[in-house]
Amino acid sequence: KKLLLVSLFAAVAMVVTATASFAAPIVIKFSHVVAENTPKGQMANKFKQLVDERLAGKVVVEVFPNSQLFTDKKVLEAMLLGDVQIAAPSLSKFKKYTKSLQIFDLPFLFKNMDAVEKFQQGPYGQKLLRATEKKGLIGLGYLHNGLKQLSANSKLVVPADAARKKFRIMSSDVLAAQFEAVGALPIKKPFSEVFTLLQTKAIDGQENTWSNIYSKKFYEVQPYITESNHGVLDYLVVTSSEFWNGLPADIRTEVKKALDEAIAFGNKVAAEKAISDRQKIIDSGRCEVIELTDAQRQQWVDVMKPVWKKFEDQIGKEYIEAAVKAND
Ligand code: LMR
């Protein structure tokens, strides 16, 4: 009987060792909604490439672009259920998980992307990376896209031009208030539906970055783009605490390193595309890009900026002050 037990133990030990050495690789599904030729698309592909090179056989990254796997509304729920491991929704899409990230939607808060970077890397920005932790989501870093422009089926030069027009917005109450401030009608819709909504004229306009307007061909169905630079569209690269904390420490370190490098790469792409995709849109001759005079732009600032006050308590005054300082 003793002999039987010993051999049983030996058999079990053998199986355990065998499974360990032939363990299936850890799969990281990275789901996003934009095209591959965008800052986020390029960042995700770079992350996959680095992990393939460095963690072959141990970790496999699968990238799903263009809302193939999940919309941004679904992706964070799916993440908490373990159906996706990494995503990078825009900072405007976290209101179910935290109110503090709403700061990034405040109109005319940052004067350029250097100011955004400075705020994100400073103490307040770094604190905000942890804003969703209580809800089981860990912010691994910020990724840039860029400043937003206004596109429409008619010329928008002064705020009154936007009155009574329907604009698609991301699911953010700040963005809703921003459009209400000019008398427009904001409509929350997923990114995947924007082109069709514009094409069928179900909506009149939308706000987005040059790279999103270019890669999703919005400029082909919107005759006017006002170069307003009125807000920022950046991302939170996010994972679930359960997945992240469950990774073996050495793997987690390597994955984080690959992510940081991919983010740096994506940020470079973002800076380049803000210039080159804008130019491609102009060169297409499909739509007119409207540049505002200082006085015209000031009118938008005057009408939209009071929105800050409405969200000050939810966001925290000291955060807004720190963001304003980042412009210096
Ligand atoms: C949008 O919904 O307009 C953006 O969040 C899309 C994106 O991820 O850049």
Side-chain angles (χ1 to χ4, degrees):
K1 201 170 171 194
K2 203 170 167 192
L3 199 67
L4 193 72
L5 257 180
V6 169
S7 45
L8 195 71
F9 270 126
V12 169
M14 260 166 69
V15 171
V16 169
T17 332
T19 351
S21 50
F22 295 107
I26 296 162
V27 176
I28 299 183
K29 289 189 185 170
F30 187 153
S31 167
H32 68 82
V33 300
V34 290
E36 286 185 280
N37 60 337
T38 56
K40 185 161 53 184
Q42 295 286 298
M43 175 267 171
N45 291 354
K46 173 64 90 182
F47 172 61
K48 177 182 168 51
Q49 178 206 323
L50 294 175
V51 169
D52 281 354
E53 282 167 17
R54 297 172 189 173
L55 291 166
K58 295 183 185 158
V59 180
V60 174
V61 175
E62 296 171 358
V63 180
F64 300 89
N66 294 309
S67 315
Q68 264 167 28
L69 195 59
F70 295 111
T71 61
D72 279 333
K73 195 171 169 194
K74 286 275 174 312
V75 78
L76 297 175
E77 291 163 22
M79 187 169 276
L80 291 173
L81 294 172
D83 293 336
V84 61
Q85 286 68 43
I86 294 186
S90 100
L91 293 162
S92 317
K93 294 176 176 169
F94 285 87
K95 80 160 188 274
K96 252 183 79 183
Y97 303 89
T98 172
K99 299 282 181 220
S100 4
L101 290 175
Q102 294 184 116
I103 186 169
F104 291 100
D105 286 338
L106 296 179
F108 298 103
L109 178 60
F110 297 105
K111 75 172 181 206
N112 55 33
M113 292 307 290
D114 287 344
V116 176
E117 171 73 13
K118 197 166 147 195
F119 174 71
Q120 288 174 349
Q121 300 311 325
Y124 286 94
Q126 291 298 300
K127 231 165 116 184
L128 287 177
L129 273 183
R130 300 194 297 269
T132 57
E133 275 182 17
K134 274 199 213 105
K135 298 278 165 86
L137 297 172
I138 297 182
L140 296 171
Y142 294 104
L143 171 69
H144 295 318
N145 185 327
L147 297 176
K148 289 179 291 186
Q149 319 302 333
L150 288 167
S151 78
N153 55 20
S154 59
K155 274 195 185 194
L156 304 178
V157 179
V158 292
D161 297 333
R164 289 177 302 282
K165 300 222 170 280
K166 291 185 197 142
F167 288 88
R168 175 270 174 175
I169 56 163
M170 297 182 270
S171 59
S172 150
D173 294 342
V174 180
L175 298 179
Q178 168 197 279
F179 278 102
E180 277 157 10
V182 298
L185 309 164
I187 300 175
K188 291 176 182 164
K189 289 284 183 188
F191 187 60
S192 55
E193 290 176 28
V194 180
F195 180 85
T196 307
L197 289 167
L198 293 171
Q199 191 185 34
T200 59
K201 303 207 164 45
I203 53 173
D204 301 300
Q206 60 90 44
E207 53 164 20
N208 233 305
T209 58
W210 291 114
S211 66
N212 280 344
I213 295 173
Y214 179 70
S215 59
K216 287 294 177 191
K217 300 189 178 355
F218 298 162
Y219 70 101
E220 293 189 0
V221 287
Q222 291 273 269
Y224 302 100
I225 301 175
T226 303
E227 189 163 27
S228 51
N229 292 317
H230 63 281
V232 62
L233 197 173
D234 266 15
Y235 306 111
L236 186 67
V237 180
V238 69
T239 187
S240 79
S241 340
E242 197 178 333
F243 170 72
W244 195 246
N245 296 330
L247 284 175
D250 54 333
I251 300 253
R252 186 165 55 229
T253 305
E254 279 299 318
V255 170
K256 180 66 168 56
K257 213 166 138 246
L259 261 180
D260 288 344
E261 288 178 40
I263 288 174
F265 177 75
N267 286 345
K268 243 181 75 205
V269 174
E272 286 161 10
K273 283 195 172 295
I275 297 165
S276 61
D277 285 351
R278 173 185 178 276
Q279 196 55 46
K280 284 181 194 157
I281 290 169
I282 293 171
D283 293 346
S284 76
R286 299 289 294 258
C287 75
E288 185 186 331
V289 172
I290 301 163
E291 289 178 40
L292 299 175
T293 64
D294 288 348
Q296 287 162 346
R297 191 165 187 273
Q298 190 58 42
Q299 287 195 43
W300 293 89
V301 176
D302 292 344
V303 183
M304 286 181 163
K305 221 170 140 176
V307 163
W308 294 18
K309 203 83 210 144
K310 279 195 195 160
F311 293 89
E312 194 180 87
D313 288 347
Q314 290 181 32
I315 294 168
K317 204 171 173 198
E318 66 281 20
Y319 285 84
I320 300 177
E321 281 166 3
V324 170
K325 266 221 187 87
N327 288 312
D328 295 342

